[in-house]
Amino acid sequence: MRVLVLVKASPESETGQFPPDFKDLVSDMDKYNDALTKAGVMLAADGLYPSSKGKRVRFDDAKRTVIDGPFAETKELVAGFWIWQVRSMDEAVEWLKRAPFGGGAEVEIRPIQEQEDFQRDLDATAARAAR
Amino acid sequence: MTVEAHRAIDAVWRIESARLIAGLARVTGDVGVAEELAQDALVAALEQWPSAGVPEKPGAWLMSTAKHRAIDRIRRDATLSRKYERLGRELLAAEEGGDPESRMDEEMGDDVLTLVFTACHPVLAMEARVALTLRVVGGLTTEEIARAFLVPTATMSQRIVRAKRTLAEARVPFVVPSPGERPARLAAVLEVVYLIFNEGYSATEGQDWVRPGLCDDALRLGRVLQALAPDEAEVHGLAALMEIQASRLRARIGPGGEPVLLLDQDRGRWDRLLIQRGLAALERAVRLGPLGPYALQAAIAACHARARTAAETDWPKIAALYDALAQLDPSPIVELNRAVAVGMAFGPAAGLEAVDAVASSPALRRYHLLPAVRGDLLRKLGRWAEARSEFEKAADLTANERERRLLRHRAAECAADEIAG
């Protein structure tokens, strides 16, 4: 299975400021990413620019409104992500525990819905509806 | 808590077992002994973690527990002491002056690579290599491997025990192969990984057309090898080949579980992330060069991956790549594939000519794809009766139930064409 690991934004990541121990953090993260790669777990990884560089499009019936960043709800914003190949959510959790985060950071793991899963869920919903 | 702890232990085992076994094999010089010690540590974890909690550094905990268990065994049982003599000395020395964490990362990577080479050692039969690799490198349980290969657990367990014994009896040292041996030994490793992939990709036995779990395991091994042997072109070539083939997994199965052939697949269902990874791996292989058989096959797969529609496929390039492959690694099966590409690039008559040039090869006598390919070309030439009989021949030869149904369906279509035509 694949999972998307979402690293949430913080006031620092949103202002684009680097913390004082930036170099250590980068080196720890490099080591961690290297371990993920060596284990064949890492499929993709990227960091995102602060939301000030982002845009949103709002949909109201036929109307489309473009909203420029930054966006206020910092803790709901995403600052970076990984895509991992793992055998279970437990394995994903075990890997994430080893990540070099601190300071109350919360990182979220969400299983990626594969097309087969989607079809199965759809069938199950249809079967329930038919009953 | 207990259930949770057990699941956490399973996950830790998946992550740590290869490094743990590899590190212990380096000290003991014996993969079988290393695996037993690692199992001892796992048992200790199952006893202790549910109540004491999962330690902060579970990998280091398992390693030091395994070493202590080894020392206990030696102290308890004098007859074991000869077997563990060297281990005992090393462990006691390590206990005095070593921090197990300090030599973790880079050296551990080398140990895992040595473990891969050992598990795929030519002294072992192919099925033993496959089982041992999945067990000690892939971190799968014996039950999982047995299920994947549709054999009873006891059979698989025996196979693994015998493989470990063979390695010990042949006194296979736990070292990386010398530079002179390396190309052949690496080829043996890649062969094992690709065999696992193929067993998942087009199951030769059983009810299902694909078993994606095995593909995932092989892909993961391939990616591990890329990280452990980054300078080997063919390692990237194989990874590229598997990534691109796996990108089509979900498009290869129709709604009723039946196979869908490459040119009929809905390309929107191809996995873009895997294609992108495959093309990147191929690029690395090309940069390192020269292109070996896996990289050439990956280059062929890449031609399909790059084409937005089946009609846009660069068949002349594919035919040329098969030419190169046939020169490097001549086989009737490659020739047969080349014939398919020639047929697509230069018309069914040219393709049929190329097929018939290899049709008498003994290796293809019971190969169901020979009549399937001939049938396809004959049908395009409007020779329906001949095409139908070729598809029927192919259906009789395949061992896969799903594929047989597809081939019978093709034969029936030819019969309909004949009536309509």
Side-chain angles (χ1 to χ4, degrees), chain B residues 160-203:
Chain B
I160 292 169
V161 167
R162 245 180 294 142
K164 290 189 285 194
R165 198 188 304 143
T166 305
L167 284 177
E169 283 168 3
R171 296 185 187 281
V172 170
F174 191 76
V175 291
V176 281
S178 65
E181 278 181 306
R182 192 171 162 113
R185 294 287 303 280
L186 188 67
V189 170
L190 299 182
E191 191 184 358
V192 167
V193 175
Y194 195 42
L195 194 142
I196 296 170
F197 182 84
N198 269 324
E199 195 46 41
Y201 195 67
S202 46

Side-chain angles (χ1 to χ4, degrees), chain A residues 40-131:
Chain A
V41 167
M42 171 91 85
L43 291 183
D46 273 306
L48 306 182
Y49 281 114
S51 71
S52 56
K53 297 208 175 191
K55 286 182 189 298
R56 284 178 179 174
V57 177
R58 188 187 158 89
F59 298 81
D60 300 288
D61 298 322
K63 202 172 146 219
R64 306 284 183 263
T65 318
V66 177
I67 309 156
D68 291 324
F71 308 117
E73 58 285 14
T74 303
K75 281 172 75 180
E76 304 301 315
L77 299 173
V78 175
F81 69 89
W82 283 286
I83 298 177
W84 292 348
Q85 175 79 50
V86 288
R87 291 206 187 81
S88 62
M89 276 299 272
D90 295 319
E91 189 188 349
V93 168
E94 208 43 53
W95 272 111
L96 185 53
K97 279 188 191 164
R98 293 155 195 236
F101 291 112
E106 271 186 26
V107 182
E108 185 174 323
I109 311 171
R110 302 279 295 274
I112 292 178
Q113 196 171 39
E114 305 286 354
Q115 272 177 20
E116 306 81 76
D117 302 339
F118 182 64
Q119 189 58 48
R120 201 188 50 221
D121 294 348
L122 214 61
D123 293 346
T125 310
R128 264 199 307 278
R131 267 207 303 269

Side-chain angles (χ1 to χ4, degrees), chain B residues 138-410:
Chain B
L140 271 68
T141 63
T142 304
E143 294 78 44
E144 285 170 322
I145 306 169
R147 215 178 310 134
F149 285 92
L150 313 174
V151 301
T153 303
T155 309
M156 190 51 77
S157 171
Q158 266 303 309
R159 196 178 289 172
I160 292 169
V161 167
R162 245 180 294 142
K164 290 189 285 194
R165 198 188 304 143
T166 305
L167 284 177
E169 283 168 3
R171 296 185 187 281
V172 170
F174 191 76
V175 291
V176 281
S178 65
E181 278 181 306
R182 192 171 162 113
R185 294 287 303 280
L186 188 67
V189 170
L190 299 182
E191 191 184 358
V192 167
V193 175
Y194 195 42
L195 194 142
I196 296 170
F197 182 84
N198 269 324
E199 195 46 41
Y201 195 67
S202 46
T204 50
E205 281 171 54
Q207 292 288 315
D208 294 321
W209 164 246
V210 293
R211 279 180 270 152
L214 272 178
C215 290
D216 282 344
D217 289 324
L219 264 170
R220 203 160 157 173
L221 288 169
R223 291 174 189 141
V224 169
L225 284 173
Q226 275 185 292
L228 296 180
D231 300 328
E232 300 283 357
E234 275 292 80
V235 167
H236 297 294
L238 175 60
L241 176 60
M242 293 191 298
E243 300 269 13
I244 298 175
Q245 288 189 322
S247 77
R248 304 180 201 136
L249 260 173
R250 59 192 178 199
R252 290 179 88 227
I253 316 164
E258 76 283 4
V260 181
L261 299 180
L262 178 64
L263 298 181
D264 303 329
Q265 288 170 12
D266 173 0
R267 294 179 182 224
R269 289 171 64 90
W270 286 1
D271 188 321
R272 308 310 305 180
L273 176 61
L274 294 187
I275 289 177
Q276 188 195 325
R277 291 182 55 86
L279 294 178
L282 178 59
E283 218 170 276
R284 286 181 77 177
V286 170
R287 219 174 321 134
L288 289 163
L291 292 193
Y294 291 115
L296 280 170
Q297 292 175 76
I300 292 164
C303 287
H304 294 297
R306 287 198 193 98
R308 277 169 307 173
T309 63
E312 279 175 56
T313 311
D314 188 348
W315 288 107
K317 186 174 177 188
I318 293 176
L321 286 164
Y322 270 120
D323 248 347
L325 186 59
Q327 280 169 34
L328 203 65
D329 189 17
S331 91
I333 290 178
V334 170
E335 291 291 348
L336 186 60
N337 281 312
R338 195 185 72 86
V340 173
V342 166
M344 295 302 288
F346 310 111
L352 193 61
E353 199 179 310
V355 173
D356 289 342
V358 289
S360 60
S361 159
L364 295 180
R365 215 180 45 198
R366 302 207 44 82
Y367 188 51
H368 64 284
L369 290 183
L370 172 66
V373 166
R374 281 202 91 231
D376 208 39
L377 292 164
L378 287 164
R379 186 178 173 190
K380 282 182 187 152
L381 289 168
R383 290 157 64 175
W384 291 302
E386 289 165 87
R388 178 184 170 186
S389 106
E390 291 291 328
F391 282 127
E392 273 164 3
K393 212 186 287 175
D396 289 340
L397 285 172
T398 182
N400 185 291
E401 193 47 47
R402 296 274 188 198
E403 201 172 20
R404 186 184 337 253
R405 251 180 273 168
L406 177 84
L407 288 162
R408 293 237 189 279
H409 179 68
R410 297 240 146 163

Side-chain angles (χ1 to χ4, degrees), chain B residues 90-155:
Chain B
E90 290 215 20
L91 287 175
L92 294 169
E95 235 185 355
E96 278 153 27
D99 165 19
E101 282 284 280
S102 64
R103 57 167 301 281
M104 261 335 207
D105 291 328
E106 280 120 72
E107 284 179 61
M108 288 295 241
D110 293 344
D111 289 344
V112 173
L113 185 60
T114 310
L115 184 64
V116 178
F117 275 121
T118 309
C120 298
H121 196 279
V123 75
L124 299 171
M126 191 45 101
E127 58 177 23
R129 293 183 210 174
V130 166
L132 198 59
T133 301
L134 286 172
R135 174 93 181 119
V136 298
V137 187
L140 271 68
T141 63
T142 304
E143 294 78 44
E144 285 170 322
I145 306 169
R147 215 178 310 134
F149 285 92
L150 313 174
V151 301
T153 303
T155 309

